[in-house]
mmCIF file of all heavy atoms in Angstrom:
data_model
loop_
_atom_site.group_PDB
_atom_site.id
_atom_site.type_symbol
_atom_site.label_atom_id
_atom_site.label_comp_id
_atom_site.label_asym_id
_atom_site.label_seq_id
_atom_site.Cartn_x
_atom_site.Cartn_y
_atom_site.Cartn_z
ATOM 1 N N TYR A 277 -19.151 6.905 3.764
ATOM 2 C CA TYR A 277 -19.635 6.010 4.731
ATOM 3 C C TYR A 277 -18.662 4.919 5.035
ATOM 4 O O TYR A 277 -17.690 4.701 4.331
ATOM 5 C CB TYR A 277 -20.963 5.414 4.379
ATOM 6 C CG TYR A 277 -20.976 4.612 3.044
ATOM 7 C CD1 TYR A 277 -20.832 3.162 3.155
ATOM 8 C CD2 TYR A 277 -21.043 5.125 1.838
ATOM 9 C CE1 TYR A 277 -20.732 2.386 2.016
ATOM 10 C CE2 TYR A 277 -20.934 4.375 0.627
ATOM 11 C CZ TYR A 277 -20.861 2.967 0.714
ATOM 12 O OH TYR A 277 -20.820 2.220 -0.262
ATOM 13 N N LEU A 278 -18.869 4.113 6.114
ATOM 14 C CA LEU A 278 -18.039 2.961 6.486
ATOM 15 C C LEU A 278 -18.750 1.644 6.144
ATOM 16 O O LEU A 278 -19.941 1.635 6.286
ATOM 17 C CB LEU A 278 -17.688 3.046 7.915
ATOM 18 C CG LEU A 278 -16.950 4.254 8.443
ATOM 19 C CD1 LEU A 278 -16.719 4.285 9.950
ATOM 20 C CD2 LEU A 278 -15.524 4.405 7.656
ATOM 21 N N ILE A 279 -17.991 0.721 5.772
ATOM 22 C CA ILE A 279 -18.528 -0.622 5.525
ATOM 23 C C ILE A 279 -18.107 -1.574 6.661
ATOM 24 O O ILE A 279 -16.933 -1.877 6.782
ATOM 25 C CB ILE A 279 -18.021 -1.181 4.217
ATOM 26 C CG1 ILE A 279 -18.465 -0.406 3.022
ATOM 27 C CG2 ILE A 279 -18.438 -2.750 3.907
ATOM 28 C CD1 ILE A 279 -18.120 -0.675 1.745
ATOM 29 N N LEU A 280 -18.957 -1.958 7.509
ATOM 30 C CA LEU A 280 -18.756 -2.732 8.707
ATOM 31 C C LEU A 280 -19.419 -4.192 8.520
ATOM 32 O O LEU A 280 -19.082 -4.990 9.356
ATOM 33 C CB LEU A 280 -19.293 -2.066 9.970
ATOM 34 C CG LEU A 280 -18.709 -0.666 10.129
ATOM 35 C CD1 LEU A 280 -19.472 -0.036 11.379
ATOM 36 C CD2 LEU A 280 -17.339 -0.658 10.334
ATOM 37 N N GLU A 281 -20.079 -4.415 7.410
ATOM 38 C CA GLU A 281 -20.805 -5.735 7.227
ATOM 39 C C GLU A 281 -19.826 -6.748 6.693
ATOM 40 O O GLU A 281 -19.103 -6.488 5.718
ATOM 41 C CB GLU A 281 -21.926 -5.527 6.296
ATOM 42 C CG GLU A 281 -22.919 -4.538 6.673
ATOM 43 C CD GLU A 281 -23.515 -4.783 8.034
ATOM 44 O OE1 GLU A 281 -23.804 -5.905 8.387
ATOM 45 O OE2 GLU A 281 -23.743 -3.816 8.774
ATOM 46 N N PRO A 282 -19.569 -7.934 7.298
ATOM 47 C CA PRO A 282 -18.673 -8.829 6.845
ATOM 48 C C PRO A 282 -19.035 -9.525 5.427
ATOM 49 O O PRO A 282 -18.346 -10.126 4.718
ATOM 50 C CB PRO A 282 -18.632 -9.983 7.924
ATOM 51 C CG PRO A 282 -19.916 -9.789 8.642
ATOM 52 C CD PRO A 282 -20.365 -8.324 8.495
ATOM 53 N N ASP A 283 -20.533 -9.391 5.149
ATOM 54 C CA ASP A 283 -20.922 -10.035 3.962
ATOM 55 C C ASP A 283 -21.386 -8.992 2.827
ATOM 56 O O ASP A 283 -22.324 -9.226 2.230
ATOM 57 C CB ASP A 283 -22.226 -10.976 4.198
ATOM 58 C CG ASP A 283 -23.329 -10.212 5.021
ATOM 59 O OD1 ASP A 283 -23.076 -9.030 5.491
ATOM 60 O OD2 ASP A 283 -24.424 -10.702 5.191
ATOM 61 N N TRP A 284 -20.668 -7.946 2.941
ATOM 62 C CA TRP A 284 -21.023 -6.796 2.014
ATOM 63 C C TRP A 284 -20.987 -7.289 0.572
ATOM 64 O O TRP A 284 -20.085 -7.896 0.106
ATOM 65 C CB TRP A 284 -19.927 -5.675 2.180
ATOM 66 C CG TRP A 284 -20.180 -4.483 1.184
ATOM 67 C CD1 TRP A 284 -19.661 -4.253 0.035
ATOM 68 C CD2 TRP A 284 -21.041 -3.349 1.441
ATOM 69 N NE1 TRP A 284 -20.069 -3.128 -0.490
ATOM 70 C CE2 TRP A 284 -20.949 -2.579 0.340
ATOM 71 C CE3 TRP A 284 -21.867 -3.092 2.505
ATOM 72 C CZ2 TRP A 284 -21.634 -1.254 0.252
ATOM 73 C CZ3 TRP A 284 -22.663 -1.859 2.336
ATOM 74 C CH2 TRP A 284 -22.522 -0.983 1.317
ATOM 75 N N GLU A 285 -22.032 -6.849 -0.230
ATOM 76 C CA GLU A 285 -22.172 -7.205 -1.617
ATOM 77 C C GLU A 285 -21.776 -5.932 -2.369
ATOM 78 O O GLU A 285 -22.381 -4.901 -2.180
ATOM 79 C CB GLU A 285 -23.601 -7.683 -2.004
ATOM 80 C CG GLU A 285 -24.099 -8.976 -1.395
ATOM 81 C CD GLU A 285 -23.243 -10.138 -2.040
ATOM 82 O OE1 GLU A 285 -22.812 -10.040 -3.164
ATOM 83 O OE2 GLU A 285 -23.042 -11.112 -1.344
ATOM 84 N N PRO A 286 -20.941 -6.003 -3.367
ATOM 85 C CA PRO A 286 -20.498 -4.881 -4.031
ATOM 86 C C PRO A 286 -21.609 -4.146 -4.860
ATOM 87 O O PRO A 286 -22.506 -4.817 -5.368
ATOM 88 C CB PRO A 286 -19.471 -5.399 -5.128
ATOM 89 C CG PRO A 286 -18.938 -6.667 -4.474
ATOM 90 C CD PRO A 286 -20.026 -7.248 -3.739
ATOM 91 N N VAL A 287 -21.664 -2.892 -4.742
ATOM 92 C CA VAL A 287 -22.711 -2.087 -5.354
ATOM 93 C C VAL A 287 -22.449 -1.890 -6.831
ATOM 94 O O VAL A 287 -21.330 -1.330 -7.121
ATOM 95 C CB VAL A 287 -22.871 -0.707 -4.602
ATOM 96 C CG1 VAL A 287 -24.049 0.122 -5.290
ATOM 97 C CG2 VAL A 287 -23.313 -1.014 -3.168
ATOM 98 N N GLU A 288 -23.379 -2.164 -7.784
ATOM 99 C CA GLU A 288 -23.162 -1.964 -9.173
ATOM 100 C C GLU A 288 -23.803 -0.665 -9.657
ATOM 101 O O GLU A 288 -24.984 -0.468 -9.297
ATOM 102 C CB GLU A 288 -23.759 -3.127 -9.989
ATOM 103 C CG GLU A 288 -23.510 -2.952 -11.426
ATOM 104 C CD GLU A 288 -24.125 -4.105 -12.247
ATOM 105 O OE1 GLU A 288 -23.539 -5.146 -12.088
ATOM 106 O OE2 GLU A 288 -25.041 -3.869 -13.067
ATOM 107 N N TRP A 289 -23.131 0.161 -10.333
ATOM 108 C CA TRP A 289 -23.659 1.350 -10.977
ATOM 109 C C TRP A 289 -23.577 1.120 -12.459
ATOM 110 O O TRP A 289 -22.608 0.540 -13.020
ATOM 111 C CB TRP A 289 -22.887 2.621 -10.628
ATOM 112 C CG TRP A 289 -22.942 2.791 -9.185
ATOM 113 C CD1 TRP A 289 -22.136 2.281 -8.104
ATOM 114 C CD2 TRP A 289 -23.672 3.830 -8.513
ATOM 115 N NE1 TRP A 289 -22.470 2.814 -6.931
ATOM 116 C CE2 TRP A 289 -23.448 3.834 -7.125
ATOM 117 C CE3 TRP A 289 -24.623 4.796 -8.885
ATOM 118 C CZ2 TRP A 289 -23.987 4.657 -6.255
ATOM 119 C CZ3 TRP A 289 -25.234 5.599 -8.086
ATOM 120 C CH2 TRP A 289 -24.884 5.603 -6.655
ATOM 121 N N THR A 290 -24.492 1.540 -13.270
ATOM 122 C CA THR A 290 -24.518 1.413 -14.692
ATOM 123 C C THR A 290 -24.440 2.703 -15.425
ATOM 124 O O THR A 290 -24.321 3.788 -14.893
ATOM 125 C CB THR A 290 -25.727 0.716 -15.202
ATOM 126 O OG1 THR A 290 -26.949 1.645 -14.873
ATOM 127 C CG2 THR A 290 -26.015 -0.646 -14.426
ATOM 128 N N GLU A 291 -24.337 2.644 -16.835
ATOM 129 C CA GLU A 291 -24.188 3.864 -17.605
ATOM 130 C C GLU A 291 -25.442 4.749 -17.404
ATOM 131 O O GLU A 291 -25.336 5.955 -17.422
ATOM 132 C CB GLU A 291 -24.170 3.358 -19.019
ATOM 133 C CG GLU A 291 -23.541 4.532 -19.987
ATOM 134 C CD GLU A 291 -23.177 4.038 -21.396
ATOM 135 O OE1 GLU A 291 -23.270 2.705 -21.544
ATOM 136 O OE2 GLU A 291 -22.689 4.761 -22.111
ATOM 137 N N GLU A 292 -26.599 4.099 -17.080
ATOM 138 C CA GLU A 292 -27.847 4.903 -16.803
ATOM 139 C C GLU A 292 -27.715 5.692 -15.541
ATOM 140 O O GLU A 292 -28.422 6.644 -15.398
ATOM 141 C CB GLU A 292 -29.004 4.133 -16.882
ATOM 142 C CG GLU A 292 -29.413 3.422 -18.298
ATOM 143 C CD GLU A 292 -28.512 2.419 -18.704
ATOM 144 O OE1 GLU A 292 -27.872 1.759 -17.909
ATOM 145 O OE2 GLU A 292 -28.478 2.280 -19.899
ATOM 146 N N ASP A 293 -26.907 5.344 -14.669
ATOM 147 C CA ASP A 293 -26.671 5.905 -13.400
ATOM 148 C C ASP A 293 -25.614 7.058 -13.409
ATOM 149 O O ASP A 293 -25.394 7.683 -12.376
ATOM 150 C CB ASP A 293 -26.199 4.868 -12.307
ATOM 151 C CG ASP A 293 -27.239 3.781 -12.168
ATOM 152 O OD1 ASP A 293 -28.365 4.109 -12.122
ATOM 153 O OD2 ASP A 293 -26.694 2.628 -11.923
#
Side-chain angles (χ1 to χ4, degrees):
Y277 64 94
L278 298 177
I279 295 174
L280 304 175
E281 305 304 320
D283 57 350
W284 179 265
E285 292 293 330
V287 177
E288 179 179 300
W289 298 78
T290 67
E291 198 163 2
E292 289 73 23
D293 300 320

